[in-house]
Amino acid sequence: MGVEQGGINDYTQDGTVDLRGNPVRRSKRGGWRACSFVVVYEVFERMAYYGISSNLVLYLTNKLHQGTVKSSNNVTNWVGTIWVTPVLGAYVADAYLGRYWTFLISSLIYLSGMCLLTLAVSLPSLKPPPCKLTNVADCQKASPLQLGVFFGALYVLTVGTGGTKPNISTIGADQFDEFEPKEKKQKLSFFNWWMFSIFFGTLFANTVLVYIQDNVGWTLGYALPTLGLMISIGIFLAGTPFYRHKVPDGSPFTRMARVIVAAFRKSKVTLPSDPELLHEHNVEEYAKKGKYRIDYTPSMRFLNKACVKTALTLGVGNFISSFLLSTVSHITKEHGHGWILNNLNASHLDYYYAFFAILNFLNFLFFLFVMKFYVYKAEFSDSLHVLTEELKVMRLRADDELEASKTRT
């Protein structure tokens, strides 16, 4: 292999450590062996999330006897919160607890929420009596206690996913050393499998679990993803001896604030012609300190491109969806036949969907306009070719070092 396993070059260069803070060897920790535990967890977690969210409107209308607009708004608000809380979870992990402990604590909170939710759909005392009336407004409403238990369980899940969603994928990415070409190539492959695990879990939830909920019962339909989540947490824990970890390096919001302040202070400074001169050290020097260098792009040169996590945008989008649904329902009821009624057969959903089709068309036009300013990172456009060449150079260099050491001995 050119480089002896267990030698000095076997240590990772990206600042990863074990749980005790000791440097780790590539041959002992990380890589595909560690990532297999992470990928399995994500399959079951997606089953749990989509097993609830995909059919949640039906449960709120058919079992808790809420109106169509109210139940839809409750779902979109809950989903919006699901996508906003990861910002807090990422902050806690980066600034204080680290990704592993933040994820582990949050996954246990997630599991407790799933258990409580399963009880809420199972115990007769935690839901109103069945109702066969066409208009759910005439059915007996859920009591404050019943609503409190059910929605309390839902929002316990938002706390759990807030700590698991932003950290599980980064835990997987941490298992590959960016500064070792072979592992860098494997990291790209890991994200392919990561997306496959997400889609597989989503497909299973939207088909099998939804069918069970509609045709067998809500108790089994919620108990299965709860059991799956419990098993996946156990699988994740089993992989603990093989994980690499990144040390928490302070609040990202503090660093962002420093960048903005420094940008204002140096607003009159001329940028160097060579982007590499923007950095104090080269890539290897940053790696020794366990940090990543943010490379230059021509977009937003004043800040050298600052990025906002897309999960926050998705969350805001769900809250806007709730606002639009309530507004459209209210306006159409006051000015004629309502578009969205509790009896969907009497509603004008075709008008409502046409309204959203127009909004999506306008969004597409805006996307075409913004797309002209987007800059692609070359590393990803021809990544396989670049990484293959880097790997060849590394192997040749390692072979030369080995031959030189044999000659000296």
Side-chain angles (χ1 to χ4, degrees):
M1 287 182 55
V3 177
E4 294 184 53
Q5 286 198 350
I8 189 67
N9 290 327
D10 190 39
Y11 284 100
T12 58
Q13 302 175 48
D14 59 354
T16 50
V17 296
D18 61 18
L19 277 177
R20 297 181 178 179
N22 302 315
V24 295
R25 298 180 186 271
R26 295 191 189 94
S27 58
K28 300 294 183 181
R29 292 174 178 264
W32 281 115
R33 178 172 54 178
C35 281
S36 60
F37 298 94
V38 174
V39 170
V40 171
Y41 170 86
E42 187 62 14
V43 173
F44 285 100
E45 192 279 331
R46 290 294 86 187
M47 288 181 186
Y49 170 69
Y50 283 104
I52 296 171
S53 62
S54 299
N55 232 9
L56 187 55
V57 170
L58 284 180
Y59 186 85
L60 294 178
T61 54
N62 295 340
K63 299 299 181 180
L64 296 186
H65 308 152
Q66 293 189 343
T68 302
V69 173
K70 186 175 183 180
S71 60
S72 298
N73 281 344
N74 282 332
V75 172
T76 51
N77 289 337
W78 175 70
V79 174
T81 307
I82 285 280
W83 286 105
V84 169
T85 52
V87 176
L88 179 61
Y91 169 78
V92 172
D94 291 341
Y96 301 106
L97 297 181
R99 291 164 185 165
Y100 177 85
W101 291 114
T102 303
F103 170 82
L104 185 58
I105 294 171
S106 300
S107 63
L108 295 177
I109 296 174
Y110 196 161
L111 180 60
S112 66
M114 288 293 297
C115 292
L116 183 58
L117 198 61
T118 303
L119 288 176
V121 302
S122 303
L123 299 179
S125 60
L126 293 179
K127 52 187 176 181
C131 179
K132 300 295 183 181
L133 299 176
T134 302
N135 187 2
V136 296
D138 298 329
C139 296
Q140 180 178 330
K141 302 299 182 183
S143 68
L145 174 62
Q146 293 167 342
L147 291 175
V149 172
F150 186 82
F151 283 102
L154 283 180
Y155 280 90
V156 167
L157 294 184
T158 66
V159 177
T161 56
T164 58
K165 189 182 293 292
N167 290 305
I168 186 64
S169 58
T170 49
I171 288 175
D174 288 346
Q175 308 312 309
F176 301 99
D177 188 352
E178 280 272 339
F179 303 97
E180 207 284 318
K182 183 178 180 180
E183 291 197 8
K184 189 175 183 181
K185 185 175 181 179
Q186 291 174 337
K187 186 175 182 178
L188 297 177
S189 181
F190 158 73
F191 281 109
N192 292 334
W193 283 102
W194 178 258
M195 294 306 301
F196 173 80
S197 69
I198 291 175
F199 293 141
F200 181 80
T202 304
L203 176 64
F204 184 87
N206 288 332
T207 53
V208 178
L209 291 181
V210 168
Y211 176 84
I212 291 173
Q213 292 166 1
D214 289 342
N215 297 278
V216 180
W218 292 94
T219 299
L220 183 61
Y222 277 37
L224 286 177
T226 301
L227 179 61
L229 185 65
M230 184 184 302
I231 294 173
S232 67
I233 294 174
I235 292 173
F236 175 82
L237 286 173
T240 298
F242 307 108
Y243 297 143
R244 302 173 187 173
H245 305 275
K246 289 290 180 65
V247 179
D249 56 354
S251 167
F253 298 110
T254 302
R255 295 196 297 272
M256 291 169 59
R258 288 175 179 172
V259 170
I260 295 173
V261 171
F264 275 105
R265 286 180 176 177
K266 300 180 180 180
S267 58
K268 297 182 180 181
V269 175
T270 304
L271 289 173
S273 57
D274 183 3
E276 290 295 322
L277 297 178
L278 290 169
H279 305 287
E280 183 180 357
H281 305 294
N282 56 29
V283 176
E284 288 74 15
E285 287 297 319
Y286 283 96
K288 291 177 182 178
K289 299 178 181 179
K291 298 180 180 180
Y292 284 95
R293 192 180 76 180
I294 300 176
D295 290 328
Y296 163 87
T297 69
S299 302
M300 293 183 68
R301 295 183 182 182
F302 180 65
L303 297 176
N304 279 332
K305 195 161 189 180
C307 298
V308 178
K309 194 175 180 71
T310 55
L312 181 60
T313 307
L314 291 171
V316 173
N318 279 281
F319 293 128
I320 294 176
S321 177
S322 295
F323 171 76
L324 288 175
L325 179 62
S326 299
T327 303
V328 170
S329 176
H330 178 72
I331 292 176
T332 55
K333 280 182 180 179
E334 287 193 345
H335 296 81
H337 185 74
W339 289 5
I340 308 164
L341 305 173
N342 290 333
N343 184 356
L344 293 181
N345 292 325
S347 302
H348 272 307
L349 294 180
D350 50 345
Y351 295 168
Y352 184 66
Y353 291 146
F355 169 67
F356 267 92
I358 294 172
L359 289 182
N360 276 282
F361 178 71
L362 295 175
N363 180 60
F364 177 69
L365 294 179
F366 178 72
F367 170 77
L368 292 178
F369 171 75
V370 174
M371 189 174 63
K372 297 186 299 183
F373 304 100
Y374 189 82
V375 177
Y376 292 89
K377 191 174 181 181
E379 176 186 349
F380 292 97
S381 60
D382 59 348
S383 56
L384 291 180
H385 172 72
V386 172
L387 291 174
T388 301
E389 294 300 319
E390 287 182 353
L391 185 58
K392 289 180 180 178
V393 172
M394 289 289 292
R395 285 175 176 170
L396 289 173
R397 189 177 301 168
D399 289 337
D400 292 340
E401 291 178 357
L402 181 61
E403 290 296 329
S405 63
K406 288 181 178 178
T407 302
R408 288 194 296 271
T409 55

